[in-house]
Amino acid sequence: LSHKPLDKEGISLNMLRSIIRSRSFASGIAKPMGLLRMSSSVRRMSTVNPLAEKVDGDINEMKEAGTFKTERVIVTPQRSEVKVSTKADAVINMCANNYLGLSAHPELMQAAKDTIDSHGLGLSSVRFICGTQDIHTELEQKIADFHGTGATILYPSCFDANAGFFESVLTKEDAIISDALNHASIIDGVRLCKAARYRFKHMDMEDLEKQLVAAEDARIKMIATDGVFSMDGDIAPLKEICELAEKYGAYVFVDECHATGFIGKTGRGTPEMCDVMDKVTVITSTLGKALGGATGGYTTGPEELITLLRNKSRPYLFSNTVAPAVVGASLKVFEMISKDTSLRDQLEANTKFFRETLAKYGFEISGDPACPIVPVMLGDAKVAAEFADEMLERGIYVVGFSYPVVPKDTARIRTQISAGHSQEQLQKAIDAFVEVGRLKGVIS
């Protein structure tokens, strides 16, 4: 064996290779003390795994900080009352995006089944090859009619719609002015784009104007905002935003995922609520929340802009088409909400009752009074996690949200009201909040 430089265990690398290749080492026939030391070194070298060490460290850090998330398993359809795998009794679900209570609506489920019979399970294709059926174009037109826009393009999710918009439309000559608390999908979409980036303080119109002035040399100035901010229950001041957009020659992009179907007098979202339906340029939204809760998203706006997205938007070009069952159910949803506001009206009444009653007990409630997203602010991440567990023991399904989903030290229980909740269910949830709140010292 040659005398090459030794590793830190005192073993020549060539020696190590020879030992590994030797039949006696592999079979374990000869194992003098020197070989035992070398065998131990080999085992240590083979177990070094920087990826595993990094992942384990991250997981342990989250567990120690109380930010580690686990998934509860639901064994029933999504309704105002569900069963979870860890409990025998049903629990009241206060954390779903099921705002209109349509996730298990019999008419929608029947529409989905009928569409599978008529149009199949899937298309096995992207839209531009052989993935467009008559029902896809019909749904796109219904959505455009609902929002009062020129055209619509469907995506597998609104995350894809947001991710595929900015880089398809804007270049380095342009600017995006984005609310500081915009959804992660908008943030990721902006990161993919080469346009200059400006961020204004959350719903701060004075700061938005400063950023518009800073971006005055850009060819296209696009203001991007959530319509409803899902973690805070805030509703964007679209009237003021549109006024500033008009003053500085900017366009307005609004993500309506937590608004479509129930915000505004007829459920047409924050543009309707703020009386700016004719001033918002682009709307993105989802089929996966109030509108049945399945999956799918869309972008709706000027016809020429939608045509550009069909030809350039990567999530659209390289993703399978939305499944026929989802399209069939969604057609039924838009038929229902276009002619009847009873579910939206019930949600409004439920929201008012829940918000006002919780506030009377001394809880810190975030968000707009009209918003069915009702965050109960707790601050500490561990308190939020423990609070959620205590609520489940009392038959109320809620989840604690903490960093990195929300900023540090702003942990909360985010409740979401549904038209499907009965007054009795809401009162039971309130009673549990009061009991646990006093137990944890959150309220007196």
Side-chain angles (χ1 to χ4, degrees), residues 243-305:
E243 287 173 353
L244 286 173
E246 187 172 353
K247 179 178 179 180
Y248 290 95
Y251 302 88
V252 179
F253 168 106
V254 184
D255 179 327
E256 286 285 273
C257 282
H258 290 272
T260 302
F262 57 94
I263 295 293
K265 289 183 180 180
T266 65
R268 283 166 171 80
T270 53
E272 180 184 43
M273 182 182 188
C274 300
D275 195 24
V276 291
M277 288 185 69
D278 59 337
K279 293 180 170 60
V280 172
T281 308
V282 182
I283 291 171
T284 60
S285 194
T286 181
L287 305 172
K289 291 183 171 59
L291 307 183
T295 186
Y298 59 86
T299 300
T300 190
E303 185 174 359
E304 296 80 4
L305 184 61

Side-chain angles (χ1 to χ4, degrees), residues 52-356:
E53 289 179 359
K54 196 270 183 187
V55 170
D56 288 343
D58 288 350
I59 291 173
N60 289 333
E61 184 178 319
M62 287 186 288
K63 287 180 177 179
E64 290 172 4
T67 61
F68 184 76
K69 297 161 188 63
T70 57
E71 298 176 359
R72 294 173 182 156
V73 178
I74 296 174
V75 296
T76 60
Q78 184 68 278
R79 296 190 177 100
S80 60
E81 193 172 77
V82 297
K83 283 191 174 183
V84 295
S85 60
T86 55
K87 289 184 69 67
D89 297 329
V91 296
I92 298 170
N93 191 349
M94 298 294 297
C95 57
N97 299 316
N98 189 21
Y99 299 110
L100 296 178
L102 294 174
S103 294
H105 194 285
E107 289 187 42
L108 301 190
M109 292 193 291
Q110 189 59 53
K113 293 173 185 176
D114 292 345
T115 310
I116 288 178
D117 290 340
S118 63
H119 287 75
L121 178 65
L123 275 298
S124 303
S125 174
V126 298
R127 286 284 297 271
F128 79 93
I129 298 179
C130 58
T132 299
Q133 293 174 314
D134 55 344
I135 55 174
H136 292 94
T137 58
E138 182 184 355
L139 178 57
E140 287 171 336
Q141 187 58 54
K142 271 191 178 294
I143 293 171
D145 292 344
F146 182 78
H147 287 287
T149 53
T152 301
I153 178 173
L154 292 173
Y155 286 88
S157 70
C158 190
F159 201 110
D160 287 323
N162 289 341
F165 176 77
F166 299 99
E167 69 164 343
S168 302
V169 177
L170 307 175
T171 70
K172 63 183 180 181
E173 299 175 71
D174 308 313
I176 304 166
I177 305 95
S178 182
D179 189 288
L181 294 187
N182 274 342
H183 190 267
S185 57
I186 295 179
I187 294 170
D188 285 1
V190 170
R191 286 172 176 167
L192 291 170
C193 179
K194 294 181 179 179
R197 307 168 192 171
Y198 299 84
R199 186 171 69 172
F200 63 96
K201 297 173 185 175
H202 179 50
M203 300 201 315
D204 185 326
M205 296 301 97
E206 183 178 344
D207 195 41
L208 171 58
E209 185 163 17
K210 288 180 182 178
Q211 303 308 318
L212 284 166
V213 170
E216 63 180 348
D217 293 333
R219 176 184 58 183
I220 298 170
K221 295 179 282 292
M222 183 72 68
I223 302 171
T225 183
D226 285 0
V228 172
F229 292 84
S230 62
M231 285 297 134
D232 298 272
D234 292 335
I235 297 178
L238 285 189
K239 185 175 181 63
E240 292 81 359
I241 288 173
C242 288
E243 287 173 353
L244 286 173
E246 187 172 353
K247 179 178 179 180
Y248 290 95
Y251 302 88
V252 179
F253 168 106
V254 184
D255 179 327
E256 286 285 273
C257 282
H258 290 272
T260 302
F262 57 94
I263 295 293
K265 289 183 180 180
T266 65
R268 283 166 171 80
T270 53
E272 180 184 43
M273 182 182 188
C274 300
D275 195 24
V276 291
M277 288 185 69
D278 59 337
K279 293 180 170 60
V280 172
T281 308
V282 182
I283 291 171
T284 60
S285 194
T286 181
L287 305 172
K289 291 183 171 59
L291 307 183
T295 186
Y298 59 86
T299 300
T300 190
E303 185 174 359
E304 296 80 4
L305 184 61
I306 301 304
T307 298
L308 179 67
L309 292 175
R310 289 194 194 281
N311 285 272
K312 290 187 66 177
S313 181
R314 292 168 70 86
Y316 177 81
L317 291 170
F318 297 102
S319 296
N320 264 22
T321 186
V322 178
V326 174
V327 176
S330 299
L331 284 166
K332 187 65 177 177
V333 167
F334 278 99
E335 176 189 323
M336 292 171 64
I337 66 174
S338 294
K339 67 182 183 182
D340 182 11
T341 64
S342 59
L343 291 175
R344 176 246 169 241
D345 298 342
Q346 183 61 55
L347 175 61
E348 183 177 60
N350 285 354
T351 298
K352 186 175 187 295
F353 169 73
F354 189 77
R355 276 184 167 274
E356 290 181 355

Side-chain angles (χ1 to χ4, degrees), residues 405-423:
V405 178
V406 295
K408 288 183 177 180
D409 302 320
T410 65
R412 66 202 66 182
I413 299 291
R414 183 189 69 172
T415 60
Q416 290 163 281
I417 311 305
S418 171
H421 284 130
S422 67
Q423 187 91 352

